[in-house]
Amino acid sequence: MAIPPSFIQELLSRVDIVEVVGRYVPLRKGGVNLMGLCPFHGEKTPSFSVSPGKQFFHCFGCGKHGDAIGFLMEHTGVSFIEAVKDLAQQVGLAVPEEDVPPQERARAAAQRRHQATLTEVLRKAEDAFKAQL
Ligand code: ZN
């Protein structure tokens, strides 16, 4: 299933990464960013920062970083699609149905025609064979 990049942008503009990460990691204000204990590596002093402005998380300890979708994938082990669906549901967006690109559709149609031709050829061959008997 393909999700249009425009939808991902729309989704990320509506989702607040602070809220998403905050569901799993207790965050505290630290300047413009929020800090917390990194969920991706063991630590006692917070080096995991979340930027509300950039809508990104970054860990100074282990280097993990990404957006809200990336966080969900990394932290909960879901696929990209599942993370997108999860977030979309929270902000009340409907994930667009699978959109098959035109060239893909043409290829599938050509393949069907090809198969039909093969079936036809086989059927004719069978008829010819039976006529020989
Ligand atoms: Zn880390």
Side-chain angles (χ1 to χ4, degrees), residues 17-125:
I17 192 168
V18 174
E19 192 268 317
V20 175
V21 173
R23 275 190 272 150
Y24 304 96
V25 183
L27 295 169
R28 274 202 327 223
K29 264 250 174 240
V32 289
N33 296 332
L34 289 99
M35 302 294 296
L37 290 173
C38 178
F40 302 116
H41 82 281
E43 62 177 7
K44 293 204 171 67
T45 51
S47 51
F48 181 79
S49 83
V50 179
S51 163
K54 296 195 191 114
Q55 287 293 304
F56 253 75
F57 70 89
H58 180 83
C59 174
F60 296 99
C62 66
K64 279 248 194 294
H65 63 99
D67 54 22
I69 297 171
F71 178 83
L72 274 188
M73 289 168 67
E74 284 280 352
H75 192 62
T76 64
V78 295
S79 70
F80 178 74
I81 302 287
E82 287 168 324
V84 167
K85 281 187 175 163
D86 183 8
L87 291 174
Q89 201 174 23
Q90 282 165 47
V91 294
L93 282 178
V95 179
E97 286 300 307
E98 182 174 13
D99 192 22
V100 181
Q103 65 266 35
E104 186 68 21
R105 209 174 300 160
R107 207 171 59 87
Q111 202 163 28
R112 270 196 303 275
R113 270 200 303 278
H114 181 66
Q115 265 161 9
T117 312
L118 267 184
T119 311
E120 178 76 0
V121 166
L122 283 176
R123 208 171 51 77
K124 279 193 177 136

